[in-house]
C-alpha cells in the first residue's frame, strides 16, 4: 500500500514544520509539500494532487473556512482542520465539519512537548485518506413535510462517528416536532457536544439538547450524549450518564447506548451511521434480537464505511439505506400504526 500523501497548510512556519515532523514519524504518511496560505495551497494542490490536506483556520488572503468551502465545491477532497480555534471555538470546528472537513484536531497548548503534540493527527489523516467526500451542493437538506404521528412509546437510538456531523444534520433537520424520543451517541470531544446539540436544535423542528442524567425520554426531544466522562444509556424511560471505562476505545460508546435500549422492552429502532471502527455493531445486534427495527447507512453515502459495515456483517442491520433516504425510513419505522406512516421514496 502506498503512503498517504499530505499537503500541510498553515501560515506559521513553525507550525508547518511541527505538523510535518509529526506526520513524517508515521511511515504510512508522506508529506509532499507545505503552503503558507490558501493561494499558495491552491497552486500546490494542482501540482501535487495530495490525498489529504491539513488546513489551518486563521490565515492571510483567505479564511481557512472560506477556502474549505471552495475546495468542497470545486474539488472535493479529504481535509483535516488543524487550528487553535478547534479547541476554544467549537462553533468554528462544527462549521468546518458541516462544510465537509473529515475531522478536526486542536493545536497543542503552549508548553506541550513536541513529542506529545498532535497525538492522534496521523491516525486521523489516514482515516481521512480512506474517506469519501461529496460536493457541497449535494448536501442540501429538506425538512419533514406532511402529517406525522410518532408512537409515544417508541425509542430511537442513533450511533455515529467520523462524518456523523453531516449525517445527523441531514437526518434531524428532516424530523418533525413530534419525532420519536431519540437518543444519540456521536463520537466527539467533551468541549464540542453542547455546541453541537445547540446547532442541531436550530435546524430541527424537534427539541435537541445535550443529555442530562435523569432526563425523561419524551417524544419531540432528541438527547445527545455528552462527550468525555460518561456513557449515555437509558433505563426506566430516562437518560442515564454512566461513569465507566471506554468501550471499543470510546466514551461515550454506541454499544453502551444500543445495549441499554435493547433491554427496555419498548418499541424501538436502531440506526448506525458513518464512522470508523466497529463501535455499535454488537449493541445493534442486541437491539435487533430484542425485536427492534435496525437501519444502517450504506457504503456509498458514508464518509467512512466502518461502523455500518461491521454491524451489517454481524447481521445487526435489517436494511441499508443512503443518507438521503434515512430520515423518512426512520420516521416510518417509528410512526404510530394508527397515524400516517411515511412512505420511503
Amino acid at each position: 500500500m502506498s503512503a498517504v500523501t499530505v499537503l500541510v497548510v498553515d501560515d506559521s512556519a513553525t507550525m508547518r514544520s511541527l505538523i510535518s515532523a509529526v506526520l513524517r514519524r508515521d511511515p504510512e504518511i508522506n508529506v509532499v509539500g507545505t503552503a503558507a496560505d490558501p493561494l499558495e495551497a491552491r497552486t500546490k494542490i494542482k501540482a501535487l494532487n495530495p490525498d489529504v490536506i491539513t488546513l489551518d483556520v486563521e490565515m492571510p488572503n483567505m479564511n481557512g473556512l472560506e477556502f474549505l468551502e471552495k475546495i468542497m465545491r470545486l474539488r472535493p477532497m479529504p481535509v483535516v482542520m488543524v487550528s487553535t480555534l478547534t479547541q476554544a471555538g467549537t462553533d468554528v470546528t462544527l462549521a468546518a465539519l458541516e462544510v465537509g472537513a473529515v475531522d478536526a484536531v486542536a493545536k497543542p497548548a503552549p508548553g506541550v512537548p513536541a513529542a506529545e503534540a498532535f497525538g492522534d493527527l496521523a491516525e486521523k489523516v489516514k482515516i481521512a485518506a480512506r474517506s469519501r467526500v461529496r460536493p457541497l451542493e449535494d448536501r442540501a437538506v429538506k425538512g419533514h413535510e406532511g402529517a406525522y404521528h410518532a408512537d409515544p412509546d417508541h425509542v430511537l437510538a442513533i450511533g455515529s462517528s467520523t462524518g456523523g456531523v453531516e449525517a445527523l444534520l441531514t437526518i434531524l433537520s428532516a424530523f418533525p416536532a413530534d419525532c420519536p424520543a431519540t437518543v444519540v451517541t456521536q463520537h466527539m470531544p467533551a468541549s464540542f457536544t453542547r455546541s453541537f446539540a445547540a446547532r442541531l436544535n436550530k435546524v430541527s423542528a424537534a427539541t435537541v439538547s445535550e443529555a442530562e442524567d435523569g432526563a425523561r425520554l419524551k417524544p419531540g426531544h432528541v438527547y445527545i450524549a455528552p462527550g468525555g466522562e460518561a456513557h449515555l444509556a437509558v433505563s426506566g424511560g430516562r437518560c442515564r450518564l454512566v461513569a465507566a471505562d471506554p468501550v471499543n476505545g470510546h466514551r461515550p460508546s454506541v454499544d453502551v447506548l444500543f445495549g441499554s435500549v435493547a433491554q427496555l422492552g419498548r418499541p424501538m429502532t436502531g440506526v448506525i451511521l458513518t464512522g470508523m471502527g466497529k463501535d455499535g455493531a454488537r449493541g445493534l445486534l442486541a437491539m435487533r434480537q430484542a425485536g427492534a427495527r435496525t437501519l444502517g447507512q450504506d457504503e456509498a453515502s458514508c464518509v467512512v464505511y466502518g461502523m455500518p459495515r461491521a454491524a451489517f456483517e454481524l447481521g445487526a442491520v435489517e436494511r441499508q439505506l443512503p443518507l438521503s433516504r434515512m430520515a423518512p425510513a426512520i420516521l416510518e419505522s417509528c410512526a404510530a400504526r394508527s397515524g400516517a406512516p411515511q412512505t420511503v421514496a
Side-chain angles (χ1 to χ4, degrees):
M1 177 179 173
S2 59
V4 174
T5 58
V6 182
L7 175 67
V8 175
V9 184
D10 196 294
D11 66 321
S12 165
T14 300
M15 196 56 61
R16 291 196 301 274
S17 177
L18 176 57
I19 293 170
S20 298
V22 168
L23 293 177
R24 284 178 175 135
R25 290 202 298 258
D26 191 313
E28 297 177 353
I29 295 177
N30 178 22
V31 178
V32 293
T34 64
D37 61 39
L39 299 182
E40 183 183 0
R42 184 172 59 187
T43 300
K44 290 195 173 181
I45 289 171
K46 293 178 181 178
L48 301 171
N49 192 28
D51 297 321
V52 179
I53 299 172
T54 68
L55 180 62
D56 190 16
V57 171
E58 288 189 317
M59 293 182 295
N61 298 322
M62 185 185 298
N63 179 279
L65 287 176
E66 294 173 351
F67 185 50
L68 175 65
E69 184 170 345
K70 289 182 181 294
I71 290 173
M72 292 304 161
R73 289 192 185 281
L74 302 175
R75 186 178 175 148
M77 61 190 306
V79 176
V80 176
M81 303 303 291
V82 184
S83 173
T84 53
L85 293 181
T86 60
Q87 187 168 21
T90 56
D91 289 343
V92 176
T93 302
L94 293 173
L97 294 171
E98 288 178 38
V99 169
V102 175
D103 216 326
V105 179
K107 291 181 179 178
V112 174
E116 299 176 12
F118 302 114
D120 58 354
L121 175 59
E123 188 61 31
K124 290 190 174 186
V125 163
K126 290 188 289 186
I127 291 171
R130 299 193 294 271
S131 70
R132 296 174 181 83
V133 294
R134 295 182 292 135
L136 189 59
E137 55 266 28
D138 290 349
R139 303 175 188 196
V141 296
K142 187 176 182 181
H144 174 77
E145 297 179 355
Y148 178 77
H149 304 282
D151 179 347
D153 293 324
H154 206 106
V155 175
L156 167 65
I158 303 176
S160 54
S161 187
T162 308
V165 169
E166 175 197 352
L168 289 168
L169 280 165
T170 300
I171 291 169
L172 296 183
S173 64
F175 270 23
D178 183 25
C179 73
T182 302
V183 282
V184 178
T185 288
Q186 157 74 33
H187 297 157
M188 185 173 278
S191 58
F192 293 165
T193 46
R194 188 173 296 276
S195 293
F196 184 45
R199 168 62 178 144
L200 291 170
N201 190 53
K202 291 179 181 178
V203 302
S204 179
T207 299
V208 185
S209 61
E210 194 175 47
E212 296 181 356
D213 190 57
R216 185 166 62 88
L217 297 179
K218 297 185 291 185
H221 290 255
V222 179
Y223 308 87
I224 307 296
E229 299 301 320
H231 300 284
L232 174 61
V234 292
S235 177
R238 296 181 182 274
C239 294
R240 300 297 179 190
L241 299 184
V242 181
D245 292 337
V247 174
N248 301 319
H250 298 286
R251 186 173 54 205
S253 163
V254 180
D255 263 335
V256 171
L257 176 62
F258 285 174
S260 69
V261 174
Q263 300 177 47
L264 287 178
R266 292 169 58 170
M268 54 189 165
T269 296
V271 179
I272 194 156
L273 302 173
T274 174
M276 188 74 182
K278 62 181 182 179
D279 189 32
R282 292 191 178 279
L284 192 66
L285 179 62
M287 287 185 64
R288 188 174 186 186
Q289 291 172 338
R293 308 301 299 272
T294 60
L295 305 174
Q297 189 174 348
D298 72 356
E299 183 173 4
S301 67
C302 280
V303 172
V304 178
Y305 185 57
M307 288 162 51
R309 181 198 293 274
F312 181 75
E313 292 178 348
L314 196 62
V317 175
E318 181 183 2
R319 296 167 62 200
Q320 287 196 108
L321 294 166
L323 180 60
S324 61
R325 294 176 56 197
M326 190 62 77
I330 291 171
L331 295 176
E332 180 182 36
S333 175
C334 300
R337 296 304 99 186
S338 59
Q342 306 306 298
T343 299
V344 179

